[in-house]
PDB file of all heavy atoms in Angstrom:
ATOM      1  N   PHE A  58      -6.289  14.212   9.566  1.00  0.00           N
ATOM      2  CA  PHE A  58      -6.083  15.672   9.537  1.00  0.00           C
ATOM      3  C   PHE A  58      -6.522  16.259   8.204  1.00  0.00           C
ATOM      4  O   PHE A  58      -6.265  15.675   7.150  1.00  0.00           O
ATOM      5  CB  PHE A  58      -4.618  15.993   9.844  1.00  0.00           C
ATOM      6  CG  PHE A  58      -4.246  15.560  11.228  1.00  0.00           C
ATOM      7  CD1 PHE A  58      -3.523  14.390  11.446  1.00  0.00           C
ATOM      8  CD2 PHE A  58      -4.676  16.281  12.329  1.00  0.00           C
ATOM      9  CE1 PHE A  58      -3.217  13.961  12.727  1.00  0.00           C
ATOM     10  CE2 PHE A  58      -4.385  15.863  13.624  1.00  0.00           C
ATOM     11  CZ  PHE A  58      -3.655  14.695  13.822  1.00  0.00           C
ATOM     12  N   PHE A  59      -7.199  17.391   8.309  1.00  0.00           N
ATOM     13  CA  PHE A  59      -7.697  18.071   7.119  1.00  0.00           C
ATOM     14  C   PHE A  59      -6.758  19.187   6.700  1.00  0.00           C
ATOM     15  O   PHE A  59      -6.255  19.927   7.550  1.00  0.00           O
ATOM     16  CB  PHE A  59      -9.047  18.731   7.423  1.00  0.00           C
ATOM     17  CG  PHE A  59     -10.202  17.769   7.444  1.00  0.00           C
ATOM     18  CD1 PHE A  59     -11.426  18.161   7.978  1.00  0.00           C
ATOM     19  CD2 PHE A  59     -10.102  16.495   6.912  1.00  0.00           C
ATOM     20  CE1 PHE A  59     -12.504  17.302   7.991  1.00  0.00           C
ATOM     21  CE2 PHE A  59     -11.176  15.629   6.920  1.00  0.00           C
ATOM     22  CZ  PHE A  59     -12.392  16.040   7.468  1.00  0.00           C
ATOM     23  N   ARG A  60      -6.554  19.319   5.408  1.00  0.00           N
ATOM     24  CA  ARG A  60      -5.899  20.493   4.851  1.00  0.00           C
ATOM     25  C   ARG A  60      -6.859  21.071   3.825  1.00  0.00           C
ATOM     26  O   ARG A  60      -7.115  20.429   2.791  1.00  0.00           O
ATOM     27  CB  ARG A  60      -4.597  20.131   4.102  1.00  0.00           C
ATOM     28  CG  ARG A  60      -3.394  19.844   4.980  1.00  0.00           C
ATOM     29  CD  ARG A  60      -3.392  18.395   5.422  1.00  0.00           C
ATOM     30  NE  ARG A  60      -2.197  17.999   6.137  1.00  0.00           N
ATOM     31  CZ  ARG A  60      -2.009  18.136   7.439  1.00  0.00           C
ATOM     32  NH1 ARG A  60      -2.930  18.692   8.204  1.00  0.00           N
ATOM     33  NH2 ARG A  60      -0.888  17.717   8.000  1.00  0.00           N
ATOM     34  N   GLY A  61      -7.424  22.244   4.125  1.00  0.00           N
ATOM     35  CA  GLY A  61      -8.306  22.884   3.146  1.00  0.00           C
ATOM     36  C   GLY A  61      -7.481  23.210   1.902  1.00  0.00           C
ATOM     37  O   GLY A  61      -6.413  23.816   2.014  1.00  0.00           O
ATOM     38  N   LEU A  62      -7.957  22.783   0.747  1.00  0.00           N
ATOM     39  CA  LEU A  62      -7.168  22.954  -0.484  1.00  0.00           C
ATOM     40  C   LEU A  62      -7.647  24.184  -1.269  1.00  0.00           C
ATOM     41  O   LEU A  62      -8.807  24.241  -1.693  1.00  0.00           O
ATOM     42  CB  LEU A  62      -7.324  21.692  -1.355  1.00  0.00           C
ATOM     43  CG  LEU A  62      -6.672  21.737  -2.736  1.00  0.00           C
ATOM     44  CD1 LEU A  62      -5.152  21.900  -2.639  1.00  0.00           C
ATOM     45  CD2 LEU A  62      -7.015  20.480  -3.538  1.00  0.00           C
ATOM     46  N   ILE A  63      -6.739  25.148  -1.433  1.00  0.00           N
ATOM     47  CA  ILE A  63      -7.047  26.328  -2.263  1.00  0.00           C
ATOM     48  C   ILE A  63      -6.203  26.244  -3.530  1.00  0.00           C
ATOM     49  O   ILE A  63      -4.969  26.318  -3.474  1.00  0.00           O
ATOM     50  CB  ILE A  63      -6.681  27.662  -1.578  1.00  0.00           C
ATOM     51  CG1 ILE A  63      -7.067  27.675  -0.096  1.00  0.00           C
ATOM     52  CG2 ILE A  63      -7.341  28.837  -2.305  1.00  0.00           C
ATOM     53  CD1 ILE A  63      -6.666  28.962   0.622  1.00  0.00           C
ATOM     54  N   SER A 102     -11.545  27.994   5.916  1.00  0.00           N
ATOM     55  CA  SER A 102     -10.837  26.826   6.422  1.00  0.00           C
ATOM     56  C   SER A 102     -10.760  26.889   7.952  1.00  0.00           C
ATOM     57  O   SER A 102     -11.058  25.906   8.644  1.00  0.00           O
ATOM     58  CB  SER A 102      -9.433  26.799   5.807  1.00  0.00           C
ATOM     59  OG  SER A 102      -8.847  25.553   5.947  1.00  0.00           O
ATOM     60  N   SER A 105     -14.070  26.378   9.541  1.00  0.00           N
ATOM     61  CA  SER A 105     -14.461  24.962   9.466  1.00  0.00           C
ATOM     62  C   SER A 105     -13.631  24.104  10.427  1.00  0.00           C
ATOM     63  O   SER A 105     -13.779  22.893  10.451  1.00  0.00           O
ATOM     64  CB  SER A 105     -14.269  24.428   8.043  1.00  0.00           C
ATOM     65  OG  SER A 105     -15.022  25.172   7.127  1.00  0.00           O
ATOM     66  N   TYR A 107     -10.563  23.378  10.138  1.00  0.00           N
ATOM     67  CA  TYR A 107      -9.438  22.670   9.509  1.00  0.00           C
ATOM     68  C   TYR A 107      -8.192  23.397  10.006  1.00  0.00           C
ATOM     69  O   TYR A 107      -8.075  24.600   9.817  1.00  0.00           O
ATOM     70  CB  TYR A 107      -9.471  22.790   7.989  1.00  0.00           C
ATOM     71  CG  TYR A 107     -10.724  22.321   7.307  1.00  0.00           C
ATOM     72  CD1 TYR A 107     -11.021  22.740   6.015  1.00  0.00           C
ATOM     73  CD2 TYR A 107     -11.607  21.439   7.933  1.00  0.00           C
ATOM     74  CE1 TYR A 107     -12.166  22.305   5.364  1.00  0.00           C
ATOM     75  CE2 TYR A 107     -12.751  21.008   7.284  1.00  0.00           C
ATOM     76  CZ  TYR A 107     -13.032  21.443   6.008  1.00  0.00           C
ATOM     77  OH  TYR A 107     -14.154  21.019   5.356  1.00  0.00           O
ATOM     78  N   SER A 109      -5.155  23.316   8.979  1.00  0.00           N
ATOM     79  CA  SER A 109      -4.113  23.617   7.993  1.00  0.00           C
ATOM     80  C   SER A 109      -4.737  23.838   6.635  1.00  0.00           C
ATOM     81  O   SER A 109      -5.847  23.372   6.378  1.00  0.00           O
ATOM     82  CB  SER A 109      -3.154  22.428   7.838  1.00  0.00           C
ATOM     83  OG  SER A 109      -2.334  22.277   8.968  1.00  0.00           O
ATOM     84  N   LEU A 110      -3.987  24.508   5.782  1.00  0.00           N
ATOM     85  CA  LEU A 110      -4.438  24.562   4.396  1.00  0.00           C
ATOM     86  C   LEU A 110      -3.278  24.322   3.450  1.00  0.00           C
ATOM     87  O   LEU A 110      -2.107  24.421   3.814  1.00  0.00           O
ATOM     88  CB  LEU A 110      -5.154  25.876   4.092  1.00  0.00           C
ATOM     89  CG  LEU A 110      -4.528  27.186   4.446  1.00  0.00           C
ATOM     90  CD1 LEU A 110      -3.465  27.546   3.449  1.00  0.00           C
ATOM     91  CD2 LEU A 110      -5.622  28.257   4.423  1.00  0.00           C
ATOM     92  N   VAL A 111      -3.648  23.962   2.217  1.00  0.00           N
ATOM     93  CA  VAL A 111      -2.658  23.779   1.154  1.00  0.00           C
ATOM     94  C   VAL A 111      -2.922  24.848   0.105  1.00  0.00           C
ATOM     95  O   VAL A 111      -4.055  25.000  -0.357  1.00  0.00           O
ATOM     96  CB  VAL A 111      -2.780  22.400   0.471  1.00  0.00           C
ATOM     97  CG1 VAL A 111      -1.777  22.279  -0.682  1.00  0.00           C
ATOM     98  CG2 VAL A 111      -2.546  21.274   1.457  1.00  0.00           C
ATOM     99  N   ALA A 287      -5.020  10.560   1.594  1.00  0.00           N
ATOM    100  CA  ALA A 287      -5.988   9.813   0.769  1.00  0.00           C
ATOM    101  C   ALA A 287      -6.394  10.822  -0.304  1.00  0.00           C
ATOM    102  O   ALA A 287      -7.127  11.762  -0.037  1.00  0.00           O
ATOM    103  CB  ALA A 287      -7.182   9.388   1.609  1.00  0.00           C
ATOM    104  N   THR A 289      -7.503  12.944  -3.845  1.00  0.00           N
ATOM    105  CA  THR A 289      -8.715  13.131  -4.640  1.00  0.00           C
ATOM    106  C   THR A 289      -8.698  12.248  -5.893  1.00  0.00           C
ATOM    107  O   THR A 289      -9.754  11.782  -6.342  1.00  0.00           O
ATOM    108  CB  THR A 289      -8.813  14.619  -5.050  1.00  0.00           C
ATOM    109  OG1 THR A 289      -8.469  15.388  -3.898  1.00  0.00           O
ATOM    110  CG2 THR A 289     -10.197  14.997  -5.482  1.00  0.00           C
ATOM    111  N   ARG A 299     -11.308   7.413  -1.264  1.00  0.00           N
ATOM    112  CA  ARG A 299     -10.579   8.050  -0.157  1.00  0.00           C
ATOM    113  C   ARG A 299     -10.768   7.294   1.162  1.00  0.00           C
ATOM    114  O   ARG A 299      -9.843   7.165   1.947  1.00  0.00           O
ATOM    115  CB  ARG A 299     -10.981   9.515  -0.029  1.00  0.00           C
ATOM    116  CG  ARG A 299     -10.301  10.351  -1.098  1.00  0.00           C
ATOM    117  CD  ARG A 299     -10.408  11.824  -0.826  1.00  0.00           C
ATOM    118  NE  ARG A 299     -11.805  12.266  -0.905  1.00  0.00           N
ATOM    119  CZ  ARG A 299     -12.174  13.545  -0.874  1.00  0.00           C
ATOM    120  NH1 ARG A 299     -11.272  14.488  -0.750  1.00  0.00           N
ATOM    121  NH2 ARG A 299     -13.442  13.879  -0.950  1.00  0.00           N
ATOM    122  N   VAL A 309      -4.507  11.695   6.062  1.00  0.00           N
ATOM    123  CA  VAL A 309      -4.714  13.111   5.716  1.00  0.00           C
ATOM    124  C   VAL A 309      -5.728  13.191   4.584  1.00  0.00           C
ATOM    125  O   VAL A 309      -5.728  12.352   3.681  1.00  0.00           O
ATOM    126  CB  VAL A 309      -3.374  13.755   5.265  1.00  0.00           C
ATOM    127  CG1 VAL A 309      -3.605  15.092   4.584  1.00  0.00           C
ATOM    128  CG2 VAL A 309      -2.433  13.932   6.462  1.00  0.00           C
ATOM    129  N   MET A 310      -6.590  14.220   4.656  1.00  0.00           N
ATOM    130  CA  MET A 310      -7.525  14.476   3.546  1.00  0.00           C
ATOM    131  C   MET A 310      -7.518  15.954   3.220  1.00  0.00           C
ATOM    132  O   MET A 310      -7.246  16.781   4.091  1.00  0.00           O
ATOM    133  CB  MET A 310      -8.939  14.071   3.952  1.00  0.00           C
ATOM    134  CG  MET A 310      -9.195  12.609   3.800  1.00  0.00           C
ATOM    135  SD  MET A 310     -10.962  12.406   3.596  1.00  0.00           S
ATOM    136  CE  MET A 310     -11.080  10.652   3.646  1.00  0.00           C
ATOM    137  N   MET A 311      -7.847  16.262   1.990  1.00  0.00           N
ATOM    138  CA  MET A 311      -7.778  17.656   1.551  1.00  0.00           C
ATOM    139  C   MET A 311      -9.117  18.127   1.021  1.00  0.00           C
ATOM    140  O   MET A 311      -9.367  18.075  -0.189  1.00  0.00           O
ATOM    141  CB  MET A 311      -6.734  17.787   0.456  1.00  0.00           C
ATOM    142  CG  MET A 311      -5.355  17.392   0.907  1.00  0.00           C
ATOM    143  SD  MET A 311      -4.206  17.743  -0.411  1.00  0.00           S
ATOM    144  CE  MET A 311      -2.726  17.075   0.275  1.00  0.00           C
ATOM    145  N   PRO A 312      -9.979  18.601   1.921  1.00  0.00           N
ATOM    146  CA  PRO A 312     -11.268  19.093   1.421  1.00  0.00           C
ATOM    147  C   PRO A 312     -11.094  20.334   0.559  1.00  0.00           C
ATOM    148  O   PRO A 312     -10.247  21.182   0.841  1.00  0.00           O
ATOM    149  CB  PRO A 312     -12.049  19.432   2.698  1.00  0.00           C
ATOM    150  CG  PRO A 312     -11.081  19.379   3.819  1.00  0.00           C
ATOM    151  CD  PRO A 312      -9.842  18.693   3.376  1.00  0.00           C
ATOM    152  N   GLN A 313     -11.890  20.412  -0.490  1.00  0.00           N
ATOM    153  CA  GLN A 313     -11.845  21.539  -1.412  1.00  0.00           C
ATOM    154  C   GLN A 313     -12.344  22.814  -0.743  1.00  0.00           C
ATOM    155  O   GLN A 313     -13.432  22.829  -0.182  1.00  0.00           O
ATOM    156  CB  GLN A 313     -12.838  21.247  -2.553  1.00  0.00           C
ATOM    157  CG  GLN A 313     -12.229  20.628  -3.736  1.00  0.00           C
ATOM    158  CD  GLN A 313     -11.344  21.594  -4.506  1.00  0.00           C
ATOM    159  OE1 GLN A 313     -11.324  22.801  -4.262  1.00  0.00           O
ATOM    160  NE2 GLN A 313     -10.588  21.044  -5.416  1.00  0.00           N
ATOM    161  N   ILE A 314     -11.564  23.880  -0.804  1.00  0.00           N
ATOM    162  CA  ILE A 314     -12.145  25.180  -0.437  1.00  0.00           C
ATOM    163  C   ILE A 314     -11.940  26.208  -1.553  1.00  0.00           C
ATOM    164  O   ILE A 314     -12.236  27.383  -1.388  1.00  0.00           O
ATOM    165  CB  ILE A 314     -11.618  25.721   0.922  1.00  0.00           C
ATOM    166  CG1 ILE A 314     -10.103  25.635   0.998  1.00  0.00           C
ATOM    167  CG2 ILE A 314     -12.242  25.009   2.096  1.00  0.00           C
ATOM    168  CD1 ILE A 314      -9.563  26.362   2.221  1.00  0.00           C
ATOM    169  N   THR A 315     -11.459  25.737  -2.699  1.00  0.00           N
ATOM    170  CA  THR A 315     -11.349  26.613  -3.879  1.00  0.00           C
ATOM    171  C   THR A 315     -12.748  27.124  -4.228  1.00  0.00           C
ATOM    172  O   THR A 315     -13.697  26.335  -4.198  1.00  0.00           O
ATOM    173  CB  THR A 315     -10.823  25.792  -5.084  1.00  0.00           C
ATOM    174  OG1 THR A 315      -9.609  25.158  -4.701  1.00  0.00           O
ATOM    175  CG2 THR A 315     -10.606  26.673  -6.311  1.00  0.00           C
ATOM    176  N   ARG A 320     -13.325  26.101  -9.804  1.00  0.00           N
ATOM    177  CA  ARG A 320     -12.913  24.698  -9.585  1.00  0.00           C
ATOM    178  C   ARG A 320     -12.816  23.895 -10.882  1.00  0.00           C
ATOM    179  O   ARG A 320     -11.934  23.072 -11.055  1.00  0.00           O
ATOM    180  CB  ARG A 320     -13.926  24.012  -8.674  1.00  0.00           C
ATOM    181  CG  ARG A 320     -13.364  23.769  -7.309  1.00  0.00           C
ATOM    182  CD  ARG A 320     -14.349  23.039  -6.482  1.00  0.00           C
ATOM    183  NE  ARG A 320     -14.628  23.811  -5.286  1.00  0.00           N
ATOM    184  CZ  ARG A 320     -15.445  23.423  -4.329  1.00  0.00           C
ATOM    185  NH1 ARG A 320     -16.099  22.288  -4.450  1.00  0.00           N
ATOM    186  NH2 ARG A 320     -15.621  24.171  -3.272  1.00  0.00           N
ATOM    187  N   CYS A 331     -16.213  16.498  -6.423  1.00  0.00           N
ATOM    188  CA  CYS A 331     -16.513  17.679  -5.589  1.00  0.00           C
ATOM    189  C   CYS A 331     -16.505  18.976  -6.388  1.00  0.00           C
ATOM    190  O   CYS A 331     -16.142  20.024  -5.850  1.00  0.00           O
ATOM    191  CB  CYS A 331     -15.529  17.812  -4.417  1.00  0.00           C
ATOM    192  SG  CYS A 331     -15.340  16.326  -3.457  1.00  0.00           S
ATOM    193  N   ASN A 335     -20.448  22.942  -2.229  1.00  0.00           N
ATOM    194  CA  ASN A 335     -19.783  24.084  -1.603  1.00  0.00           C
ATOM    195  C   ASN A 335     -18.954  23.574  -0.427  1.00  0.00           C
ATOM    196  O   ASN A 335     -19.010  22.396  -0.062  1.00  0.00           O
ATOM    197  CB  ASN A 335     -20.797  25.171  -1.207  1.00  0.00           C
ATOM    198  CG  ASN A 335     -21.745  24.688  -0.125  1.00  0.00           C
ATOM    199  OD1 ASN A 335     -21.355  23.941   0.761  1.00  0.00           O
ATOM    200  ND2 ASN A 335     -22.995  25.103  -0.203  1.00  0.00           N
ATOM    201  N   ALA A 336     -18.182  24.489   0.169  1.00  0.00           N
ATOM    202  CA  ALA A 336     -17.212  24.051   1.187  1.00  0.00           C
ATOM    203  C   ALA A 336     -17.899  23.376   2.369  1.00  0.00           C
ATOM    204  O   ALA A 336     -17.367  22.426   2.947  1.00  0.00           O
ATOM    205  CB  ALA A 336     -16.386  25.240   1.644  1.00  0.00           C
ATOM    206  N   GLU A 338     -20.751  21.705   2.283  1.00  0.00           N
ATOM    207  CA  GLU A 338     -21.173  20.358   1.869  1.00  0.00           C
ATOM    208  C   GLU A 338     -19.973  19.408   1.848  1.00  0.00           C
ATOM    209  O   GLU A 338     -20.068  18.258   2.259  1.00  0.00           O
ATOM    210  CB  GLU A 338     -21.820  20.411   0.476  1.00  0.00           C
ATOM    211  CG  GLU A 338     -23.225  20.990   0.509  1.00  0.00           C
ATOM    212  CD  GLU A 338     -23.710  21.449  -0.878  1.00  0.00           C
ATOM    213  OE1 GLU A 338     -22.901  21.613  -1.800  1.00  0.00           O
ATOM    214  OE2 GLU A 338     -24.918  21.651  -0.999  1.00  0.00           O
ATOM    215  N   CYS A 339     -18.835  19.924   1.377  1.00  0.00           N
ATOM    216  CA  CYS A 339     -17.615  19.104   1.353  1.00  0.00           C
ATOM    217  C   CYS A 339     -17.265  18.640   2.760  1.00  0.00           C
ATOM    218  O   CYS A 339     -16.886  17.499   2.978  1.00  0.00           O
ATOM    219  CB  CYS A 339     -16.432  19.913   0.825  1.00  0.00           C
ATOM    220  SG  CYS A 339     -16.214  19.762  -0.939  1.00  0.00           S
ATOM    221  N   ARG A 340     -17.421  19.573   3.713  1.00  0.00           N
ATOM    222  CA  ARG A 340     -17.053  19.230   5.086  1.00  0.00           C
ATOM    223  C   ARG A 340     -17.973  18.139   5.630  1.00  0.00           C
ATOM    224  O   ARG A 340     -17.512  17.145   6.185  1.00  0.00           O
ATOM    225  CB  ARG A 340     -17.118  20.476   5.979  1.00  0.00           C
ATOM    226  CG  ARG A 340     -16.591  20.191   7.366  1.00  0.00           C
ATOM    227  CD  ARG A 340     -16.615  21.411   8.227  1.00  0.00           C
ATOM    228  NE  ARG A 340     -17.966  21.805   8.545  1.00  0.00           N
ATOM    229  CZ  ARG A 340     -18.321  23.025   8.932  1.00  0.00           C
ATOM    230  NH1 ARG A 340     -17.434  23.979   9.003  1.00  0.00           N
ATOM    231  NH2 ARG A 340     -19.559  23.294   9.233  1.00  0.00           N
ATOM    232  N   SER A 341     -19.302  18.301   5.446  1.00  0.00           N
ATOM    233  CA  SER A 341     -20.198  17.286   6.024  1.00  0.00           C
ATOM    234  C   SER A 341     -19.995  15.943   5.349  1.00  0.00           C
ATOM    235  O   SER A 341     -20.065  14.901   6.006  1.00  0.00           O
ATOM    236  CB  SER A 341     -21.683  17.660   5.934  1.00  0.00           C
ATOM    237  OG  SER A 341     -21.853  18.928   5.477  1.00  0.00           O
ATOM    238  N   LEU A 343     -17.188  14.793   4.091  1.00  0.00           N
ATOM    239  CA  LEU A 343     -15.956  14.171   4.610  1.00  0.00           C
ATOM    240  C   LEU A 343     -16.131  13.669   6.035  1.00  0.00           C
ATOM    241  O   LEU A 343     -15.625  12.607   6.394  1.00  0.00           O
ATOM    242  CB  LEU A 343     -14.813  15.180   4.577  1.00  0.00           C
ATOM    243  CG  LEU A 343     -14.155  15.357   3.220  1.00  0.00           C
ATOM    244  CD1 LEU A 343     -13.034  16.369   3.317  1.00  0.00           C
ATOM    245  CD2 LEU A 343     -13.594  14.034   2.719  1.00  0.00           C
ATOM    246  N   GLU A 344     -16.879  14.453   6.838  1.00  0.00           N
ATOM    247  CA  GLU A 344     -17.104  14.012   8.224  1.00  0.00           C
ATOM    248  C   GLU A 344     -17.778  12.652   8.229  1.00  0.00           C
ATOM    249  O   GLU A 344     -17.388  11.749   8.973  1.00  0.00           O
ATOM    250  CB  GLU A 344     -17.969  15.044   8.969  1.00  0.00           C
ATOM    251  CG  GLU A 344     -17.158  16.246   9.401  1.00  0.00           C
ATOM    252  CD  GLU A 344     -17.997  17.371   9.994  1.00  0.00           C
ATOM    253  OE1 GLU A 344     -19.239  17.336   9.871  1.00  0.00           O
ATOM    254  OE2 GLU A 344     -17.380  18.298  10.571  1.00  0.00           O
ATOM    255  N   ILE A 347     -15.370   9.873   7.147  1.00  0.00           N
ATOM    256  CA  ILE A 347     -14.355   9.510   8.148  1.00  0.00           C
ATOM    257  C   ILE A 347     -14.980   8.700   9.274  1.00  0.00           C
ATOM    258  O   ILE A 347     -14.411   7.708   9.745  1.00  0.00           O
ATOM    259  CB  ILE A 347     -13.633  10.772   8.646  1.00  0.00           C
ATOM    260  CG1 ILE A 347     -12.755  11.270   7.503  1.00  0.00           C
ATOM    261  CG2 ILE A 347     -12.807  10.505   9.899  1.00  0.00           C
ATOM    262  CD1 ILE A 347     -12.272  12.661   7.659  1.00  0.00           C
TER     263      ILE A 347
END
Side-chain angles (χ1 to χ4, degrees):
F58 297 102
F59 282 166
R60 282 85 173 87
L62 175 62
I63 318 178
S102 196
S105 302
Y107 304 161
S109 289
L110 50 78
V111 177
T289 317
R299 283 193 294 189
V309 166
M310 278 205 187
M311 299 186 185
Q313 265 289 350
I314 48 171
T315 306
R320 252 183 237 181
C331 309
N335 65 36
E338 285 162 344
C339 268
R340 187 178 69 201
S341 353
L343 280 180
E344 282 173 348
I347 289 164

